[in-house]
Amino acid sequence: MLKVLLFCAFAVAIISAEIAEEDDVLVLKKSNFEEALKAHPNILVEFYAPWCGHCKALAPEYAKAAGQLKAEGSELRLGKVDATEESDLAQEFKVQGYPTIKFFKNGDKSAPKEYSAGRQADDFINWLKKRTGPAATTLTEASAAEQLIEGSEVVVIGFFKDVESTDAQAFVNAAESIDDVPFAITSSDDVFSKYEVTKDSVVLFKKFDEGRNTFEGEATKENLLAFVKANQLPLVIEFTEQTAPKIFGGEIKSHILMFLPKSSSDFQDKLDQFKKASENFKGKILFIFIDSESEDNQRILEFFGLKKEECPAVRLITLEDEMTKYKPENEEITTDNIKAFCTKFIEGKLKPHLMSQDIPEDWDKNPVKVLVGKNFEEVAFDAKKNVFVEFYAPWCGHCKQLAPIWDKLGEQFKEAEDIVIAKMDSTANEIETVKVHSFPTLKFFPAGDDRKVVDYSGERTLEAFAKFLESGGKEGAGTEEEQDLEDLDDESPEGAEDGNDDVDHDEL
C-alpha cells in the first residue's frame, strides 16, 4: 500500500513539474493541457496572441489574480495558452479573437464557460469563486465581514435575522445572477452590531463615493439586481482597458463621456463639476471620463469626430441597437450645463449629432466620388443615378485591401452616365439613413424616387461588383440575415488595433 501511495505522489509530482509557470500563471500547451486539468480541475484559461494589445494590458491583473489565489492555497488556478503557437487548442475551443478566456470546471473540457466579467484581479477572483462556491458566503463573525469588505472593491451583504426568509431567498437569487461582485449573507448579531444594522437590510459596501448604499423597497430579485447595478460603479468611471468590460457590459446603455487631458491645470475642477452633475442621474446615465491625451484613447476620439486640440469636450451616446450620438449646445463643462444636457436627453428633447466633413472642392474629380455628410443625400438619392457606395474607415485593414479594387471599379464605370461609384469615411461622417456597424459596408442606392437601399453581400472582386451593377443591383444583393453574417468577418469601429483588428474583439 505504501508503495502505491508513493507511486501516486511521484506521478502527481511529475505531472505538476511538467507545467511551467510565469508569474504564477500556468503555461499551457497541447502537450500538457490534459495533465493540467487533472492536476487543477478548476482552471481559468486565457487564449492570447503575443502581439495583441488587449492581452498585454490584461497580463498584470491576470498575474495578480493568479498570485493571490495561489497564496490563499486555493484550488482555483489561472493558465494561459499562446493561441498563435497552439493553434490546435485554439481551434478545439473555438477561439475567434484575443483575448478569449474560458473556465474549465471539474476537469471537464467538453463545454468550458466563457468568462464574462471585468479585467481586474478582483474581477477574476470574484467570478471564479462565484462559479465554484455558494452564491453568497455565510458570515458568522464580524472579523470575517471586515476582512471581506476590506479585500473587495465592492461587496454586497444581506443582513437577515432569518436566512431562510422570503427576502433572504430573493437576495440569494440575485447573488446567483451577478458574477463580478461578491455577495455574503449573515444573521450574526455581532455583524449586525459592527455595521450598525438594526433590521433586515441589504447593504452595498464600496471603496469609492459614498462608501455604502442601503437598499430600500420590496426585496425582489429584480429590484435587488437594479440596486446593485446602479451602485456598483463609481459616479464617474475612467475608461481604461480594465474598466471597459464593466462599462460596456453593464445594464446602463446611455453613456455621457467627458474628454479631458489629465495634464490640464483645471482637470480636477472639471472632473468635480462632472461628478456633481452625475449624482442626479445614477442608474440612468453612466458618466465616463476619458484622458484625451492618452494614445490608447485616440481611436475613441476619432469615433466621435474629435481631435486632441478640441478637448475638453462632452458627448453622449446610446448603446442600444443603433449607436446614437449627441452633442451639447453649450460646450462649457459646468455642473449646470451637464445637468441640463442630460435632462433634455432623458426627456427626448435632443436631436442626434451627425458628424460631417466639409465637401472637398474636388470631390467628383476622380472616378470614385468622395461623399461626406453634407453631400450624401444629394448624390446617393439622385433619382437618375444608380449609386454604389463603400463606407470605410481609414485604419481598417479590410478597407485598405479593397481600395485598389474599388478604384478599378470606378475607372471601369466612369463613362456610364447612370452609375456612380463613391466612398465615404464613416469615422468622420454620419447619416441618418445608413447605420454603419462594421467596415467596409457596401450599399447600393438604385435610381428612382423610392429611396431604396440595397445591401451588397457578394464577393469583393472587380468581376462580382461589375455583375452586381450590370444586373441592376440584384446579383450579389443579400438578405438582412446574410448581411449580418457578412458583418462578422468585417471590422468593428470599436477599439481594434491596426493591422490585427479583425481578430481583436474587445470594445472601444
Side-chain angles (χ1 to χ4, degrees), residues 252-269:
I252 304 172
K253 298 303 182 184
S254 298
H255 298 175
I256 184 169
L257 304 96
M258 179 175 68
F259 298 86
L260 178 68
K262 280 187 175 180
S263 61
S264 62
S265 58
D266 60 348
F267 166 76
Q268 193 58 51
D269 176 64

Side-chain angles (χ1 to χ4, degrees), residues 287-460:
F287 279 61
I288 302 166
F289 152 66
I290 297 176
D291 181 4
S292 58
E293 284 186 327
S294 170
E295 287 303 316
D296 292 338
N297 294 332
Q298 295 314 299
R299 180 69 59 79
I300 310 173
L301 268 74
E302 180 182 300
F303 181 69
F304 283 90
L306 288 169
K307 298 178 181 177
K308 286 183 182 180
E309 54 269 24
E310 295 176 306
C311 298
V314 170
R315 295 291 185 271
L316 197 152
I317 184 170
T318 58
L319 302 180
E320 303 295 346
D321 293 337
E322 303 291 351
M323 288 189 291
T324 306
K325 304 168 189 172
Y326 301 89
K327 176 182 177 181
E329 293 179 3
N330 191 330
E331 293 276 10
E332 186 181 1
I333 297 175
T334 68
T335 297
D336 288 342
N337 285 346
I338 299 297
K339 285 170 63 176
F341 179 48
C342 291
T343 299
K344 283 186 177 180
F345 166 74
I346 289 174
E347 293 175 348
K349 295 179 179 178
L350 289 180
K351 289 184 178 181
H353 170 62
L354 301 174
M355 300 184 298
S356 178
Q357 295 172 306
D358 291 331
I359 302 174
E361 291 184 5
D362 59 349
W363 71 272
D364 61 347
K365 177 182 177 182
N366 296 316
V368 176
K369 311 308 176 187
V370 178
L371 302 185
V372 296
K374 294 178 179 178
N375 70 348
F376 183 87
E377 285 279 325
E378 178 184 353
V379 176
F381 291 106
D382 185 336
K384 297 180 181 179
K385 305 286 186 181
N386 295 290
V387 185
F388 200 12
V389 183
E390 176 204 3
F391 299 88
Y392 73 96
W395 45 261
C396 164
H398 295 309
C399 302
K400 293 172 184 176
Q401 292 174 353
L402 177 61
I405 300 173
W406 204 249
D407 286 340
K408 288 179 182 177
L409 183 68
E411 188 69 32
Q412 183 171 333
F413 286 91
K414 68 179 181 181
E415 302 299 334
E417 294 184 1
D418 63 339
I419 293 178
V420 175
I421 308 301
K423 63 181 180 180
M424 188 174 87
D425 178 356
S426 286
T427 67
N429 301 278
E430 296 171 314
I431 51 175
E432 285 191 67
T433 48
V434 177
K435 300 297 182 183
V436 177
H437 298 291
S438 61
F439 300 127
T441 288
L442 305 176
K443 291 185 182 287
F444 179 63
F445 302 81
D449 295 319
D450 54 358
R451 296 174 62 86
K452 188 177 179 182
V453 182
V454 178
D455 291 321
Y456 178 83
S457 61
E459 294 182 1
R460 291 172 186 167

Side-chain angles (χ1 to χ4, degrees), residues 46-50 81-88 90 95 98:
E46 175 204 6
F47 295 85
Y48 73 97
V81 173
D82 181 345
T84 64
E85 291 288 336
E86 303 295 327
S87 56
D88 288 346
V95 174
Y98 307 123

Side-chain angles (χ1 to χ4, degrees), residues 58 61-62 64-65 115 117-126 153 240 242-243 245-246:
L58 170 71
E61 291 294 319
Y62 196 71
K64 183 179 177 182
Y115 176 77
R119 300 287 174 83
Q120 293 177 303
D122 283 349
D123 298 322
F124 293 118
I125 293 171
N126 292 335
E153 186 77 6
T240 65
Q242 289 71 38
T243 62
K246 292 183 180 180

Side-chain angles (χ1 to χ4, degrees), residues 62-108:
Y62 196 71
K64 183 179 177 182
Q68 287 183 19
L69 289 170
K70 189 176 180 181
E72 291 176 10
S74 173
E75 67 162 11
L76 297 166
R77 294 300 303 272
L78 271 63
K80 63 181 180 180
V81 173
D82 181 345
T84 64
E85 291 288 336
E86 303 295 327
S87 56
D88 288 346
L89 281 179
Q91 185 174 358
E92 180 180 354
F93 297 115
K94 297 179 174 59
V95 174
Q96 307 258 328
Y98 307 123
T100 290
I101 306 173
K102 294 178 180 283
F103 178 51
F104 297 81
K105 187 175 182 180
N106 297 327
D108 181 11

Side-chain angles (χ1 to χ4, degrees), residues 45-320:
V45 180
E46 175 204 6
F47 295 85
Y48 73 97
W51 44 256
C52 165
H54 296 302
C55 303
K56 293 174 184 176
L58 170 71
E61 291 294 319
Y62 196 71
K64 183 179 177 182
Q68 287 183 19
L69 289 170
K70 189 176 180 181
E72 291 176 10
S74 173
E75 67 162 11
L76 297 166
R77 294 300 303 272
L78 271 63
K80 63 181 180 180
V81 173
D82 181 345
T84 64
E85 291 288 336
E86 303 295 327
S87 56
D88 288 346
L89 281 179
Q91 185 174 358
E92 180 180 354
F93 297 115
K94 297 179 174 59
V95 174
Q96 307 258 328
Y98 307 123
T100 290
I101 306 173
K102 294 178 180 283
F103 178 51
F104 297 81
K105 187 175 182 180
N106 297 327
D108 181 11
K109 68 173 189 174
S110 62
K113 176 73 176 179
E114 199 84 17
Y115 176 77
S116 58
R119 300 287 174 83
Q120 293 177 303
D122 283 349
D123 298 322
F124 293 118
I125 293 171
N126 292 335
W127 191 89
L128 284 169
K129 288 184 176 179
K130 274 290 191 71
R131 291 286 167 186
T132 54
T137 304
T138 299
L139 302 174
T140 57
E141 298 178 354
S143 59
E146 189 174 9
Q147 184 177 1
L148 178 62
I149 293 170
E150 288 180 355
S152 306
E153 186 77 6
V154 178
V155 62
V156 184
I157 299 180
F159 295 82
F160 298 101
K161 293 295 185 182
D162 176 9
V163 294
E164 301 297 328
S165 67
T166 302
D167 286 357
Q169 188 56 52
F171 175 79
V172 173
N173 291 341
E176 290 172 346
S177 299
I178 298 182
D179 291 326
D180 55 347
V181 176
F183 280 65
I185 189 168
T186 185
S187 60
S188 166
D189 291 337
D190 289 343
V191 182
F192 269 72
S193 177
K194 170 73 176 176
Y195 295 100
E196 299 178 344
V197 176
T198 58
K199 61 180 181 179
D200 285 6
S201 301
V202 174
V203 182
L204 183 147
F205 297 88
K206 56 191 180 184
K207 291 182 176 177
F208 48 83
D209 299 337
E210 313 97 314
R212 65 187 278 177
N213 304 101
T214 301
F215 173 76
E216 295 179 0
E218 183 183 358
T220 65
K221 176 184 174 180
E222 293 72 23
N223 290 344
L224 289 167
L225 288 175
F227 163 73
V228 175
K229 292 181 183 300
N231 291 286
Q232 73 177 105
L233 294 177
L235 286 171
V236 175
I237 184 169
E238 181 177 359
F239 179 87
T240 65
E241 289 280 358
Q242 289 71 38
T243 62
K246 292 183 180 180
I247 290 171
F248 290 102
E251 294 294 308
I252 304 172
K253 298 303 182 184
S254 298
H255 298 175
I256 184 169
L257 304 96
M258 179 175 68
F259 298 86
L260 178 68
K262 280 187 175 180
S263 61
S264 62
S265 58
D266 60 348
F267 166 76
Q268 193 58 51
D269 176 64
K270 283 187 168 55
L271 189 62
D272 290 343
Q273 296 278 341
F274 194 61
K275 186 173 182 178
K276 190 174 180 181
S278 70
E279 297 171 0
N280 298 269
F281 303 96
K282 183 189 289 189
K284 299 176 182 177
I285 300 175
L286 191 61
F287 279 61
I288 302 166
F289 152 66
I290 297 176
D291 181 4
S292 58
E293 284 186 327
S294 170
E295 287 303 316
D296 292 338
N297 294 332
Q298 295 314 299
R299 180 69 59 79
I300 310 173
L301 268 74
E302 180 182 300
F303 181 69
F304 283 90
L306 288 169
K307 298 178 181 177
K308 286 183 182 180
E309 54 269 24
E310 295 176 306
C311 298
V314 170
R315 295 291 185 271
L316 197 152
I317 184 170
T318 58
L319 302 180
E320 303 295 346

